[in-house]
Amino acid sequence: MLPYTLLILLVTAERFAELVVARRNAAWSRARGGVEYGRGHYPVMVLLHTGLLVGCLAEAHLAHRPFVPALGWPMLALTAGAQALRWWCIGTLGPRWNTRVIVVPGLPLVTTGPYRLLSHPNYLAVVIEGAALPLVHSAWLTATVFTLLNLPLLATRLRCENAALTRLAPVPA
């Protein structure tokens, strides 16, 4: 149980690092006229993602979920891959990346890095991590609940982000 607890603590530390980057990037975007969209769903997203981390530990400890190597190792690899994809997105977007939907008017859409393959690769990382991280230690209930609650939130987030990007995209010459 100790290695899994340490994994969850590492992911929690990673989330705090994201928030530091997001705060810095929000200031950068706002200084350039960035407009925020979707404030209403942001607290729900924070609560759900916090619940994922708490749920992982609570279910694994309270329900005595075992580490099953045939499940746990592949799920750990998927979790690591999701983290790598997330930080590839952060690196590709640079100061434009944020946990909030903040769009700077007139900037072109990013079409490099993972964005040349998918419109929203960071959300793929979220979906993978939401299922894989709990399953590292057989926390199937947490994986299921997070995934089911994340689906409508993700749909809301995608509609919000797509509308914001469409509204503020530069006009073609």
Side-chain angles (χ1 to χ4, degrees):
M1 219 33 151
L2 180 60
Y4 187 61
T5 300
L6 291 174
L7 172 64
I8 301 302
L9 290 174
L10 281 171
V11 172
T12 301
E14 187 276 335
R15 288 294 179 277
F16 281 113
E18 282 183 28
L19 292 175
V20 169
V21 172
R23 188 167 291 128
R24 183 185 65 225
N25 291 350
W28 181 91
S29 293
R30 287 187 179 109
R32 286 156 182 79
V35 179
E36 182 174 354
Y37 292 86
R39 279 189 165 158
H41 73 264
Y42 188 75
V44 175
M45 187 178 76
V46 170
L47 182 63
L48 183 60
H49 284 252
T50 302
L52 171 67
L53 298 172
V54 171
C56 284
L57 286 179
E59 182 178 355
H61 284 281
L62 298 175
H64 307 289
R65 300 287 191 228
F67 176 78
V68 178
L71 176 65
W73 290 119
M75 292 302 108
L76 181 60
L78 282 174
T79 298
Q83 294 298 327
L85 177 57
R86 174 177 288 117
W87 282 96
W88 188 20
C89 294
I90 292 169
T92 299
L93 290 177
R96 294 165 63 174
W97 179 85
N98 211 295
T99 56
R100 296 179 178 271
V101 179
I102 303 175
V103 181
V104 177
L107 290 181
L109 290 177
V110 173
T111 57
T112 59
Y115 295 90
R116 72 178 180 269
L117 306 171
L118 293 170
S119 297
H120 301 283
N122 189 66
Y123 299 137
L124 175 60
V126 170
V127 168
I128 292 169
E129 182 186 66
L133 182 61
L135 291 175
V136 168
H137 220 284
S138 303
W140 60 268
L141 187 59
T142 300
T144 302
V145 169
F146 177 84
T147 298
L148 292 175
L149 292 176
N150 191 48
L151 286 173
L153 178 62
L154 192 55
T156 298
R157 180 80 173 194
L158 284 167
R159 277 192 309 274
C160 172
E161 193 167 307
N162 285 335
L165 290 170
T166 300
R167 216 170 306 156
L168 296 175
V171 178

